[in-house]
Amino acid sequence: MDNVKLVTSNENKLKEFQRYIPSLESEKGKDLPEVDGNKEEVAIHKAKLAGDGFLIEDTILEVDGKEVVDIRWKLSELQNSNAKWITTLALNNDGFIYLYKGETQGTIDTNKYQENSFGFDSVFIPKGSFQTLHEIGDKREPFSARKRAVEALVENNFYFKVEIKDIQEWKGKWQNH
C-alpha cells in the first residue's frame, strides 16, 4: 500500500485499519461531504474529492434489503430486522477509482440501543454472535466487514472501476443538508 493514504476523521476506524495494514498512512481529521446516493455513488464521489493516492471508507447497513447509506442520521428509525453491514473502500489512483467491498450478515436489535456507542454498533448483532458489535468491542475482527474490505483491497479484488474523467459532477442532494 505504498503512497496510499486513508482519509478519515474517526480515530477508531484509523486504529482498526492500521491493525490490518500497519504501514497505512492517514490524513486525519478530514471529513469529506457525502452525496445522498447509493453506496457506490457515495464512495466514488468521496474518493474523487479526496484526490489521487487517497483511500476512503464508507459504511452502510442494508436493512431488509434496502440500503441505509446515511445511517448515522437514521439510527432511530431502525426496526428489529435482518441486516447486512457493508463497508466500501474507494481508492483514487492514477485517474481511476476502484471499489472494494466487505460484508457481514446480521440482525438489528433496537432493544439493545446505547447512546454512548458508535454508529449502529449497539444494535447490530453479527451472524454467529449473540452480542452486538458494541458488546463484542475489540474482539470484533472475525465479524468485521471493514476487515473483509481491506482483504479485498490488499488482494486488488475490486468489484468496480471507473475512470475519473467519466464521473459526472454531483447535482443531487448531500447527506445531512
Side-chain angles (χ1 to χ4, degrees):
M1 301 299 334
D2 294 337
N3 302 321
V4 172
K5 282 188 176 180
L6 173 69
V7 177
T8 184
S9 59
N10 184 310
E11 285 292 324
N12 291 328
K13 284 183 184 179
L14 176 58
K15 288 176 187 172
E16 186 175 357
F17 272 99
Q18 288 176 330
R19 281 197 309 269
Y20 307 142
I21 307 173
S23 63
L24 184 65
E25 293 185 39
S26 69
E27 176 94 6
K28 292 185 220 174
K30 192 173 182 180
D31 197 12
L32 297 167
E34 297 181 359
V35 302
D36 189 11
N38 65 37
K39 65 183 175 292
E40 285 81 16
E41 291 168 330
V42 171
I44 287 167
H45 286 278
K46 277 176 72 174
K48 183 179 175 186
L49 287 170
D52 190 49
F54 286 95
L55 175 70
I56 66 91
E57 180 266 359
D58 193 67
T59 293
I60 70 162
L61 277 184
E62 189 176 280
V63 181
D64 291 332
K66 295 181 184 165
E67 287 186 8
V68 184
V69 295
D70 52 351
I71 191 68
R72 63 179 145 180
W73 316 117
K74 295 188 176 173
L75 202 54
S76 63
E77 299 173 22
L78 296 178
Q79 302 296 315
N80 296 340
S81 50
N82 291 319
K84 189 186 308 182
W85 166 19
I86 303 171
T87 293
T88 303
L89 300 179
L91 176 61
N92 183 329
N93 190 26
D94 290 331
F96 289 89
I97 299 205
Y98 301 85
L99 299 184
Y100 306 86
K101 181 170 47 175
E103 299 181 354
T104 299
Q105 298 286 337
T107 56
I108 300 292
D109 185 349
T110 56
N111 295 322
K112 294 190 170 227
Y113 178 74
Q114 294 180 16
E115 284 197 33
N116 65 341
S117 74
F118 180 74
F120 56 84
D121 284 8
S122 73
V123 297
F124 185 79
I125 302 171
K127 187 175 181 178
S129 176
F130 296 103
Q131 296 179 302
T132 65
L133 291 173
H134 180 74
E135 292 167 329
I136 294 168
D138 291 341
K139 295 180 176 69
R140 71 175 61 203
E141 196 166 307
F143 305 107
S144 177
R146 200 166 287 118
K147 180 180 182 193
R148 293 173 180 152
V150 167
E151 289 168 346
L153 171 71
V154 169
E155 295 166 3
N156 198 30
N157 187 17
F158 57 89
Y159 76 95
F160 186 79
K161 173 183 174 183
V162 63
E163 198 165 0
I164 291 174
K165 70 177 184 67
D166 294 333
I167 300 169
Q168 305 239 342
E169 183 180 337
W170 184 256
K171 296 189 188 292
K173 294 180 182 178
W174 294 80
Q175 291 182 36
N176 199 31
H177 286 272

PDB file of all heavy atoms in Angstrom, residues 85-117:
ATOM      1  N   TRP A  85     -24.060  -5.439   7.229  1.00  0.00           N
ATOM      2  CA  TRP A  85     -23.085  -4.366   7.388  1.00  0.00           C
ATOM      3  C   TRP A  85     -22.193  -4.427   6.153  1.00  0.00           C
ATOM      4  O   TRP A  85     -21.580  -5.465   5.877  1.00  0.00           O
ATOM      5  CB  TRP A  85     -22.310  -4.604   8.673  1.00  0.00           C
ATOM      6  CG  TRP A  85     -21.049  -3.830   8.882  1.00  0.00           C
ATOM      7  CD1 TRP A  85     -20.644  -2.683   8.261  1.00  0.00           C
ATOM      8  CD2 TRP A  85     -20.008  -4.147   9.810  1.00  0.00           C
ATOM      9  NE1 TRP A  85     -19.429  -2.265   8.742  1.00  0.00           N
ATOM     10  CE2 TRP A  85     -19.016  -3.153   9.695  1.00  0.00           C
ATOM     11  CE3 TRP A  85     -19.812  -5.177  10.721  1.00  0.00           C
ATOM     12  CZ2 TRP A  85     -17.847  -3.160  10.457  1.00  0.00           C
ATOM     13  CZ3 TRP A  85     -18.655  -5.186  11.487  1.00  0.00           C
ATOM     14  CH2 TRP A  85     -17.688  -4.186  11.355  1.00  0.00           C
ATOM     15  N   ILE A  86     -22.146  -3.335   5.393  1.00  0.00           N
ATOM     16  CA  ILE A  86     -21.355  -3.288   4.169  1.00  0.00           C
ATOM     17  C   ILE A  86     -20.359  -2.141   4.264  1.00  0.00           C
ATOM     18  O   ILE A  86     -20.739  -0.992   4.490  1.00  0.00           O
ATOM     19  CB  ILE A  86     -22.241  -3.091   2.925  1.00  0.00           C
ATOM     20  CG1 ILE A  86     -23.284  -4.201   2.822  1.00  0.00           C
ATOM     21  CG2 ILE A  86     -21.382  -3.048   1.652  1.00  0.00           C
ATOM     22  CD1 ILE A  86     -24.331  -3.973   1.741  1.00  0.00           C
ATOM     23  N   THR A  87     -19.092  -2.476   4.102  1.00  0.00           N
ATOM     24  CA  THR A  87     -18.042  -1.461   4.047  1.00  0.00           C
ATOM     25  C   THR A  87     -17.516  -1.413   2.622  1.00  0.00           C
ATOM     26  O   THR A  87     -17.166  -2.444   2.045  1.00  0.00           O
ATOM     27  CB  THR A  87     -16.896  -1.789   5.017  1.00  0.00           C
ATOM     28  OG1 THR A  87     -17.389  -1.691   6.356  1.00  0.00           O
ATOM     29  CG2 THR A  87     -15.729  -0.830   4.844  1.00  0.00           C
ATOM     30  N   THR A  88     -17.488  -0.206   2.073  1.00  0.00           N
ATOM     31  CA  THR A  88     -16.942   0.016   0.746  1.00  0.00           C
ATOM     32  C   THR A  88     -15.690   0.871   0.888  1.00  0.00           C
ATOM     33  O   THR A  88     -15.708   1.893   1.567  1.00  0.00           O
ATOM     34  CB  THR A  88     -17.955   0.754  -0.155  1.00  0.00           C
ATOM     35  OG1 THR A  88     -19.171   0.000  -0.204  1.00  0.00           O
ATOM     36  CG2 THR A  88     -17.419   0.931  -1.562  1.00  0.00           C
ATOM     37  N   LEU A  89     -14.620   0.421   0.272  1.00  0.00           N
ATOM     38  CA  LEU A  89     -13.395   1.207   0.183  1.00  0.00           C
ATOM     39  C   LEU A  89     -13.279   1.704  -1.248  1.00  0.00           C
ATOM     40  O   LEU A  89     -13.546   0.952  -2.188  1.00  0.00           O
ATOM     41  CB  LEU A  89     -12.164   0.357   0.520  1.00  0.00           C
ATOM     42  CG  LEU A  89     -12.115  -0.268   1.902  1.00  0.00           C
ATOM     43  CD1 LEU A  89     -10.843  -1.091   2.066  1.00  0.00           C
ATOM     44  CD2 LEU A  89     -12.210   0.796   2.972  1.00  0.00           C
ATOM     45  N   ALA A  90     -12.903   2.960  -1.402  1.00  0.00           N
ATOM     46  CA  ALA A  90     -12.703   3.524  -2.733  1.00  0.00           C
ATOM     47  C   ALA A  90     -11.295   4.096  -2.797  1.00  0.00           C
ATOM     48  O   ALA A  90     -10.926   4.940  -1.982  1.00  0.00           O
ATOM     49  CB  ALA A  90     -13.744   4.595  -3.029  1.00  0.00           C
ATOM     50  N   LEU A  91     -10.531   3.639  -3.751  1.00  0.00           N
ATOM     51  CA  LEU A  91      -9.158   4.076  -3.942  1.00  0.00           C
ATOM     52  C   LEU A  91      -9.079   4.951  -5.185  1.00  0.00           C
ATOM     53  O   LEU A  91      -9.459   4.527  -6.281  1.00  0.00           O
ATOM     54  CB  LEU A  91      -8.230   2.871  -4.099  1.00  0.00           C
ATOM     55  CG  LEU A  91      -6.762   3.165  -4.405  1.00  0.00           C
ATOM     56  CD1 LEU A  91      -6.119   3.970  -3.286  1.00  0.00           C
ATOM     57  CD2 LEU A  91      -6.010   1.866  -4.653  1.00  0.00           C
ATOM     58  N   ASN A  92      -8.606   6.174  -5.003  1.00  0.00           N
ATOM     59  CA  ASN A  92      -8.385   7.105  -6.107  1.00  0.00           C
ATOM     60  C   ASN A  92      -6.927   6.926  -6.509  1.00  0.00           C
ATOM     61  O   ASN A  92      -6.027   7.297  -5.757  1.00  0.00           O
ATOM     62  CB  ASN A  92      -8.678   8.536  -5.636  1.00  0.00           C
ATOM     63  CG  ASN A  92      -8.547   9.568  -6.737  1.00  0.00           C
ATOM     64  OD1 ASN A  92      -7.760   9.420  -7.656  1.00  0.00           O
ATOM     65  ND2 ASN A  92      -9.319  10.637  -6.603  1.00  0.00           N
ATOM     66  N   ASN A  93      -6.697   6.352  -7.706  1.00  0.00           N
ATOM     67  CA  ASN A  93      -5.337   6.015  -8.088  1.00  0.00           C
ATOM     68  C   ASN A  93      -5.129   6.183  -9.593  1.00  0.00           C
ATOM     69  O   ASN A  93      -5.783   5.495 -10.386  1.00  0.00           O
ATOM     70  CB  ASN A  93      -5.026   4.570  -7.674  1.00  0.00           C
ATOM     71  CG  ASN A  93      -3.569   4.224  -7.813  1.00  0.00           C
ATOM     72  OD1 ASN A  93      -2.709   5.089  -7.745  1.00  0.00           O
ATOM     73  ND2 ASN A  93      -3.288   2.940  -8.004  1.00  0.00           N
ATOM     74  N   ASP A  94      -4.245   7.096  -9.957  1.00  0.00           N
ATOM     75  CA  ASP A  94      -3.836   7.295 -11.357  1.00  0.00           C
ATOM     76  C   ASP A  94      -5.003   7.454 -12.330  1.00  0.00           C
ATOM     77  O   ASP A  94      -5.035   6.811 -13.384  1.00  0.00           O
ATOM     78  CB  ASP A  94      -2.932   6.139 -11.819  1.00  0.00           C
ATOM     79  CG  ASP A  94      -1.571   6.171 -11.150  1.00  0.00           C
ATOM     80  OD1 ASP A  94      -1.114   7.283 -10.795  1.00  0.00           O
ATOM     81  OD2 ASP A  94      -0.966   5.091 -10.971  1.00  0.00           O
ATOM     82  N   GLY A  95      -5.960   8.303 -11.985  1.00  0.00           N
ATOM     83  CA  GLY A  95      -7.051   8.603 -12.903  1.00  0.00           C
ATOM     84  C   GLY A  95      -8.235   7.661 -12.835  1.00  0.00           C
ATOM     85  O   GLY A  95      -9.193   7.816 -13.598  1.00  0.00           O
ATOM     86  N   PHE A  96      -8.189   6.688 -11.914  1.00  0.00           N
ATOM     87  CA  PHE A  96      -9.295   5.742 -11.758  1.00  0.00           C
ATOM     88  C   PHE A  96      -9.729   5.678 -10.298  1.00  0.00           C
ATOM     89  O   PHE A  96      -8.937   5.955  -9.400  1.00  0.00           O
ATOM     90  CB  PHE A  96      -8.881   4.329 -12.194  1.00  0.00           C
ATOM     91  CG  PHE A  96      -8.692   4.183 -13.674  1.00  0.00           C
ATOM     92  CD1 PHE A  96      -7.455   4.436 -14.247  1.00  0.00           C
ATOM     93  CD2 PHE A  96      -9.746   3.806 -14.496  1.00  0.00           C
ATOM     94  CE1 PHE A  96      -7.268   4.310 -15.620  1.00  0.00           C
ATOM     95  CE2 PHE A  96      -9.565   3.679 -15.865  1.00  0.00           C
ATOM     96  CZ  PHE A  96      -8.324   3.929 -16.425  1.00  0.00           C
ATOM     97  N   ILE A  97     -10.960   5.269 -10.094  1.00  0.00           N
ATOM     98  CA  ILE A  97     -11.448   4.953  -8.749  1.00  0.00           C
ATOM     99  C   ILE A  97     -11.821   3.478  -8.763  1.00  0.00           C
ATOM    100  O   ILE A  97     -12.549   3.010  -9.648  1.00  0.00           O
ATOM    101  CB  ILE A  97     -12.640   5.834  -8.359  1.00  0.00           C
ATOM    102  CG1 ILE A  97     -12.161   7.280  -8.373  1.00  0.00           C
ATOM    103  CG2 ILE A  97     -13.228   5.375  -7.022  1.00  0.00           C
ATOM    104  CD1 ILE A  97     -12.837   8.275  -7.556  1.00  0.00           C
ATOM    105  N   TYR A  98     -11.279   2.761  -7.783  1.00  0.00           N
ATOM    106  CA  TYR A  98     -11.514   1.327  -7.628  1.00  0.00           C
ATOM    107  C   TYR A  98     -12.333   1.115  -6.359  1.00  0.00           C
ATOM    108  O   TYR A  98     -12.017   1.690  -5.317  1.00  0.00           O
ATOM    109  CB  TYR A  98     -10.186   0.578  -7.477  1.00  0.00           C
ATOM    110  CG  TYR A  98      -9.248   0.755  -8.648  1.00  0.00           C
ATOM    111  CD1 TYR A  98      -8.390   1.850  -8.724  1.00  0.00           C
ATOM    112  CD2 TYR A  98      -9.219  -0.180  -9.672  1.00  0.00           C
ATOM    113  CE1 TYR A  98      -7.528   2.019  -9.799  1.00  0.00           C
ATOM    114  CE2 TYR A  98      -8.358  -0.030 -10.749  1.00  0.00           C
ATOM    115  CZ  TYR A  98      -7.520   1.071 -10.814  1.00  0.00           C
ATOM    116  OH  TYR A  98      -6.663   1.227 -11.874  1.00  0.00           O
ATOM    117  N   LEU A  99     -13.366   0.274  -6.443  1.00  0.00           N
ATOM    118  CA  LEU A  99     -14.199  -0.026  -5.277  1.00  0.00           C
ATOM    119  C   LEU A  99     -13.964  -1.453  -4.800  1.00  0.00           C
ATOM    120  O   LEU A  99     -13.923  -2.390  -5.605  1.00  0.00           O
ATOM    121  CB  LEU A  99     -15.686   0.155  -5.605  1.00  0.00           C
ATOM    122  CG  LEU A  99     -16.139   1.540  -6.040  1.00  0.00           C
ATOM    123  CD1 LEU A  99     -17.649   1.559  -6.219  1.00  0.00           C
ATOM    124  CD2 LEU A  99     -15.698   2.614  -5.061  1.00  0.00           C
ATOM    125  N   TYR A 100     -13.848  -1.588  -3.487  1.00  0.00           N
ATOM    126  CA  TYR A 100     -13.645  -2.872  -2.812  1.00  0.00           C
ATOM    127  C   TYR A 100     -14.717  -2.984  -1.740  1.00  0.00           C
ATOM    128  O   TYR A 100     -15.086  -1.984  -1.129  1.00  0.00           O
ATOM    129  CB  TYR A 100     -12.257  -2.927  -2.161  1.00  0.00           C
ATOM    130  CG  TYR A 100     -11.137  -2.626  -3.131  1.00  0.00           C
ATOM    131  CD1 TYR A 100     -10.748  -1.313  -3.387  1.00  0.00           C
ATOM    132  CD2 TYR A 100     -10.491  -3.654  -3.796  1.00  0.00           C
ATOM    133  CE1 TYR A 100      -9.731  -1.033  -4.289  1.00  0.00           C
ATOM    134  CE2 TYR A 100      -9.468  -3.378  -4.705  1.00  0.00           C
ATOM    135  CZ  TYR A 100      -9.093  -2.068  -4.945  1.00  0.00           C
ATOM    136  OH  TYR A 100      -8.094  -1.799  -5.839  1.00  0.00           O
ATOM    137  N   LYS A 101     -15.179  -4.210  -1.472  1.00  0.00           N
ATOM    138  CA  LYS A 101     -16.309  -4.361  -0.551  1.00  0.00           C
ATOM    139  C   LYS A 101     -16.077  -5.493   0.439  1.00  0.00           C
ATOM    140  O   LYS A 101     -15.479  -6.511   0.114  1.00  0.00           O
ATOM    141  CB  LYS A 101     -17.569  -4.632  -1.377  1.00  0.00           C
ATOM    142  CG  LYS A 101     -18.826  -4.788  -0.583  1.00  0.00           C
ATOM    143  CD  LYS A 101     -20.100  -4.815  -1.432  1.00  0.00           C
ATOM    144  CE  LYS A 101     -20.048  -5.702  -2.621  1.00  0.00           C
ATOM    145  NZ  LYS A 101     -21.307  -5.794  -3.347  1.00  0.00           N
ATOM    146  N   GLY A 102     -16.605  -5.289   1.653  1.00  0.00           N
ATOM    147  CA  GLY A 102     -16.666  -6.321   2.676  1.00  0.00           C
ATOM    148  C   GLY A 102     -18.071  -6.335   3.261  1.00  0.00           C
ATOM    149  O   GLY A 102     -18.683  -5.276   3.425  1.00  0.00           O
ATOM    150  N   GLU A 103     -18.590  -7.521   3.547  1.00  0.00           N
ATOM    151  CA  GLU A 103     -19.959  -7.635   4.059  1.00  0.00           C
ATOM    152  C   GLU A 103     -20.027  -8.574   5.258  1.00  0.00           C
ATOM    153  O   GLU A 103     -19.276  -9.549   5.329  1.00  0.00           O
ATOM    154  CB  GLU A 103     -20.898  -8.201   2.990  1.00  0.00           C
ATOM    155  CG  GLU A 103     -21.015  -7.366   1.765  1.00  0.00           C
ATOM    156  CD  GLU A 103     -21.970  -7.962   0.732  1.00  0.00           C
ATOM    157  OE1 GLU A 103     -22.469  -9.095   0.920  1.00  0.00           O
ATOM    158  OE2 GLU A 103     -22.212  -7.287  -0.265  1.00  0.00           O
ATOM    159  N   THR A 104     -20.941  -8.271   6.167  1.00  0.00           N
ATOM    160  CA  THR A 104     -21.225  -9.120   7.315  1.00  0.00           C
ATOM    161  C   THR A 104     -22.732  -9.168   7.517  1.00  0.00           C
ATOM    162  O   THR A 104     -23.375  -8.132   7.662  1.00  0.00           O
ATOM    163  CB  THR A 104     -20.553  -8.577   8.603  1.00  0.00           C
ATOM    164  OG1 THR A 104     -19.142  -8.551   8.400  1.00  0.00           O
ATOM    165  CG2 THR A 104     -20.873  -9.452   9.808  1.00  0.00           C
ATOM    166  N   GLN A 105     -23.286 -10.368   7.503  1.00  0.00           N
ATOM    167  CA  GLN A 105     -24.716 -10.562   7.757  1.00  0.00           C
ATOM    168  C   GLN A 105     -24.988 -10.419   9.245  1.00  0.00           C
ATOM    169  O   GLN A 105     -24.130 -10.695  10.072  1.00  0.00           O
ATOM    170  CB  GLN A 105     -25.153 -11.973   7.309  1.00  0.00           C
ATOM    171  CG  GLN A 105     -24.982 -12.250   5.849  1.00  0.00           C
ATOM    172  CD  GLN A 105     -26.011 -11.540   4.985  1.00  0.00           C
ATOM    173  OE1 GLN A 105     -27.093 -11.181   5.437  1.00  0.00           O
ATOM    174  NE2 GLN A 105     -25.659 -11.317   3.734  1.00  0.00           N
ATOM    175  N   GLY A 106     -26.220 -10.036   9.584  1.00  0.00           N
ATOM    176  CA  GLY A 106     -26.588  -9.931  10.988  1.00  0.00           C
ATOM    177  C   GLY A 106     -28.038  -9.533  11.161  1.00  0.00           C
ATOM    178  O   GLY A 106     -28.837  -9.629  10.227  1.00  0.00           O
ATOM    179  N   THR A 107     -28.348  -9.114  12.372  1.00  0.00           N
ATOM    180  CA  THR A 107     -29.695  -8.651  12.699  1.00  0.00           C
ATOM    181  C   THR A 107     -29.595  -7.357  13.503  1.00  0.00           C
ATOM    182  O   THR A 107     -28.564  -7.061  14.099  1.00  0.00           O
ATOM    183  CB  THR A 107     -30.484  -9.689  13.522  1.00  0.00           C
ATOM    184  OG1 THR A 107     -29.742 -10.000  14.697  1.00  0.00           O
ATOM    185  CG2 THR A 107     -30.742 -10.968  12.730  1.00  0.00           C
ATOM    186  N   ILE A 108     -30.706  -6.626  13.503  1.00  0.00           N
ATOM    187  CA  ILE A 108     -30.818  -5.400  14.287  1.00  0.00           C
ATOM    188  C   ILE A 108     -31.674  -5.704  15.505  1.00  0.00           C
ATOM    189  O   ILE A 108     -32.736  -6.313  15.385  1.00  0.00           O
ATOM    190  CB  ILE A 108     -31.508  -4.281  13.466  1.00  0.00           C
ATOM    191  CG1 ILE A 108     -30.711  -3.957  12.213  1.00  0.00           C
ATOM    192  CG2 ILE A 108     -31.758  -3.047  14.322  1.00  0.00           C
ATOM    193  CD1 ILE A 108     -29.391  -3.303  12.452  1.00  0.00           C
ATOM    194  N   ASP A 109     -31.199  -5.300  16.674  1.00  0.00           N
ATOM    195  CA  ASP A 109     -31.985  -5.405  17.904  1.00  0.00           C
ATOM    196  C   ASP A 109     -31.996  -4.033  18.564  1.00  0.00           C
ATOM    197  O   ASP A 109     -31.066  -3.658  19.269  1.00  0.00           O
ATOM    198  CB  ASP A 109     -31.384  -6.454  18.846  1.00  0.00           C
ATOM    199  CG  ASP A 109     -32.238  -6.675  20.097  1.00  0.00           C
ATOM    200  OD1 ASP A 109     -33.180  -5.875  20.339  1.00  0.00           O
ATOM    201  OD2 ASP A 109     -31.957  -7.638  20.836  1.00  0.00           O
ATOM    202  N   THR A 110     -33.055  -3.271  18.302  1.00  0.00           N
ATOM    203  CA  THR A 110     -33.145  -1.900  18.817  1.00  0.00           C
ATOM    204  C   THR A 110     -33.313  -1.857  20.328  1.00  0.00           C
ATOM    205  O   THR A 110     -33.090  -0.817  20.943  1.00  0.00           O
ATOM    206  CB  THR A 110     -34.293  -1.124  18.138  1.00  0.00           C
ATOM    207  OG1 THR A 110     -35.511  -1.847  18.307  1.00  0.00           O
ATOM    208  CG2 THR A 110     -34.016  -0.938  16.657  1.00  0.00           C
ATOM    209  N   ASN A 111     -33.674  -2.972  20.953  1.00  0.00           N
ATOM    210  CA  ASN A 111     -33.795  -3.015  22.416  1.00  0.00           C
ATOM    211  C   ASN A 111     -32.431  -2.865  23.095  1.00  0.00           C
ATOM    212  O   ASN A 111     -32.358  -2.564  24.281  1.00  0.00           O
ATOM    213  CB  ASN A 111     -34.448  -4.316  22.875  1.00  0.00           C
ATOM    214  CG  ASN A 111     -35.878  -4.417  22.385  1.00  0.00           C
ATOM    215  OD1 ASN A 111     -36.608  -3.432  22.342  1.00  0.00           O
ATOM    216  ND2 ASN A 111     -36.267  -5.615  21.979  1.00  0.00           N
ATOM    217  N   LYS A 112     -31.344  -3.099  22.346  1.00  0.00           N
ATOM    218  CA  LYS A 112     -30.002  -3.012  22.920  1.00  0.00           C
ATOM    219  C   LYS A 112     -29.352  -1.650  22.693  1.00  0.00           C
ATOM    220  O   LYS A 112     -28.203  -1.442  23.044  1.00  0.00           O
ATOM    221  CB  LYS A 112     -29.120  -4.107  22.326  1.00  0.00           C
ATOM    222  CG  LYS A 112     -29.563  -5.499  22.732  1.00  0.00           C
ATOM    223  CD  LYS A 112     -28.538  -6.518  22.322  1.00  0.00           C
ATOM    224  CE  LYS A 112     -28.877  -7.851  22.937  1.00  0.00           C
ATOM    225  NZ  LYS A 112     -27.730  -8.482  23.547  1.00  0.00           N
ATOM    226  N   TYR A 113     -30.088  -0.717  22.110  1.00  0.00           N
ATOM    227  CA  TYR A 113     -29.522   0.589  21.773  1.00  0.00           C
ATOM    228  C   TYR A 113     -28.906   1.268  22.997  1.00  0.00           C
ATOM    229  O   TYR A 113     -29.490   1.307  24.068  1.00  0.00           O
ATOM    230  CB  TYR A 113     -30.588   1.511  21.168  1.00  0.00           C
ATOM    231  CG  TYR A 113     -30.051   2.885  20.864  1.00  0.00           C
ATOM    232  CD1 TYR A 113     -29.212   3.085  19.771  1.00  0.00           C
ATOM    233  CD2 TYR A 113     -30.340   3.968  21.685  1.00  0.00           C
ATOM    234  CE1 TYR A 113     -28.686   4.340  19.498  1.00  0.00           C
ATOM    235  CE2 TYR A 113     -29.820   5.227  21.413  1.00  0.00           C
ATOM    236  CZ  TYR A 113     -28.993   5.406  20.320  1.00  0.00           C
ATOM    237  OH  TYR A 113     -28.471   6.643  20.064  1.00  0.00           O
ATOM    238  N   GLN A 114     -27.698   1.817  22.795  1.00  0.00           N
ATOM    239  CA  GLN A 114     -26.991   2.574  23.830  1.00  0.00           C
ATOM    240  C   GLN A 114     -26.468   3.864  23.206  1.00  0.00           C
ATOM    241  O   GLN A 114     -25.809   3.829  22.173  1.00  0.00           O
ATOM    242  CB  GLN A 114     -25.807   1.775  24.374  1.00  0.00           C
ATOM    243  CG  GLN A 114     -26.202   0.535  25.121  1.00  0.00           C
ATOM    244  CD  GLN A 114     -24.974  -0.199  25.639  1.00  0.00           C
ATOM    245  OE1 GLN A 114     -23.886   0.342  25.704  1.00  0.00           O
ATOM    246  NE2 GLN A 114     -25.172  -1.444  26.020  1.00  0.00           N
ATOM    247  N   GLU A 115     -26.756   4.973  23.834  1.00  0.00           N
ATOM    248  CA  GLU A 115     -26.346   6.269  23.291  1.00  0.00           C
ATOM    249  C   GLU A 115     -24.839   6.458  23.266  1.00  0.00           C
ATOM    250  O   GLU A 115     -24.324   7.193  22.444  1.00  0.00           O
ATOM    251  CB  GLU A 115     -26.997   7.405  24.078  1.00  0.00           C
ATOM    252  CG  GLU A 115     -28.456   7.560  23.707  1.00  0.00           C
ATOM    253  CD  GLU A 115     -29.016   8.900  24.134  1.00  0.00           C
ATOM    254  OE1 GLU A 115     -28.263   9.887  24.132  1.00  0.00           O
ATOM    255  OE2 GLU A 115     -30.203   8.935  24.449  1.00  0.00           O
ATOM    256  N   ASN A 116     -24.105   5.797  24.129  1.00  0.00           N
ATOM    257  CA  ASN A 116     -22.659   6.014  24.205  1.00  0.00           C
ATOM    258  C   ASN A 116     -21.868   5.167  23.220  1.00  0.00           C
ATOM    259  O   ASN A 116     -20.651   5.153  23.271  1.00  0.00           O
ATOM    260  CB  ASN A 116     -22.152   5.758  25.627  1.00  0.00           C
ATOM    261  CG  ASN A 116     -22.313   4.309  26.042  1.00  0.00           C
ATOM    262  OD1 ASN A 116     -23.091   3.570  25.455  1.00  0.00           O
ATOM    263  ND2 ASN A 116     -21.591   3.910  27.070  1.00  0.00           N
ATOM    264  N   SER A 117     -22.537   4.473  22.318  1.00  0.00           N
ATOM    265  CA  SER A 117     -21.818   3.647  21.356  1.00  0.00           C
ATOM    266  C   SER A 117     -21.692   4.379  20.028  1.00  0.00           C
ATOM    267  O   SER A 117     -22.350   5.388  19.796  1.00  0.00           O
ATOM    268  CB  SER A 117     -22.525   2.309  21.160  1.00  0.00           C
ATOM    269  OG  SER A 117     -23.696   2.480  20.400  1.00  0.00           O
TER     270      SER A 117
END
